[in-house]
Amino acid sequence: VQLQASGGGSVQSGGSLRLSCAASGLTLSSATIAWFRQAPGKEHTLVARIFRSGGVPTYADSFKGRFTISRDTAKNTMYLQMNSLKPEDTAVYYCATSSRIILSSSTEFSNYDYKGQGTLVTVSS
């Protein structure tokens, strides 16, 4: 079982990046999927999630209108489209998934069964 995150990099303020997270050994289609981030010296913070297969995307307030979470069931891959990036978005971004997590626990990174290795996003001013 593996989640392979990619797409991070360096971008100027106002730019865009799309993160990808390809799953192998498990199916994303009906699972809860989420993106978290961890800035230097800080805890993991929930960016966005889709709860199971029927959930609507939800976002932390800082990312509403700028970030979009999605999944492609045919490719078994989840995505995070990030627009209007700001220097404070600089962090390591992690994908995570679980087929058994309950809604009230889905805001905590440690509660997810599977996590990607993280991909670094650096936004310069």
Side-chain angles (χ1 to χ4, degrees):
V1 175
Q2 187 177 19
L3 293 178
Q4 183 68 45
S6 62
S10 297
V11 64
Q12 290 192 327
S13 181
S16 298
L17 284 173
R18 188 177 81 154
L19 306 183
S20 300
C21 180
S24 58
L26 73 158
T27 301
L28 295 179
S29 59
S30 60
T32 296
I33 60 172
W35 287 93
F36 289 80
R37 75 181 191 185
Q38 186 177 32
K42 297 190 176 181
E43 298 293 321
H44 290 90
T45 302
L46 178 67
V47 175
R49 66 177 176 199
I50 300 177
F51 185 71
R52 298 186 181 166
S53 59
V56 295
T58 58
Y59 303 89
D61 288 343
S62 302
F63 313 110
K64 290 179 180 176
R66 298 192 300 128
F67 291 10
T68 303
I69 185 173
S70 63
R71 66 179 131 202
D72 185 327
T73 56
K75 295 182 178 180
N76 208 27
T77 300
M78 56 192 287
Y79 301 97
L80 184 68
Q81 176 67 43
M82 305 186 295
N83 299 327
S84 302
L85 283 162
K86 307 173 183 179
E88 51 264 42
D89 293 321
T90 295
V92 178
Y93 286 73
Y94 296 88
C95 54
T97 187
S98 175
S99 60
R100 60 180 183 171
I101 199 169
I102 61 174
L103 184 60
S104 60
S105 299
S106 62
T107 59
E108 292 294 326
F109 184 67
S110 62
N111 291 334
Y112 283 79
D113 294 321
Y114 305 105
K115 309 172 184 75
Q117 83 283 9
T119 185
L120 176 62
V121 172
T122 303
V123 184
S124 58
S125 58

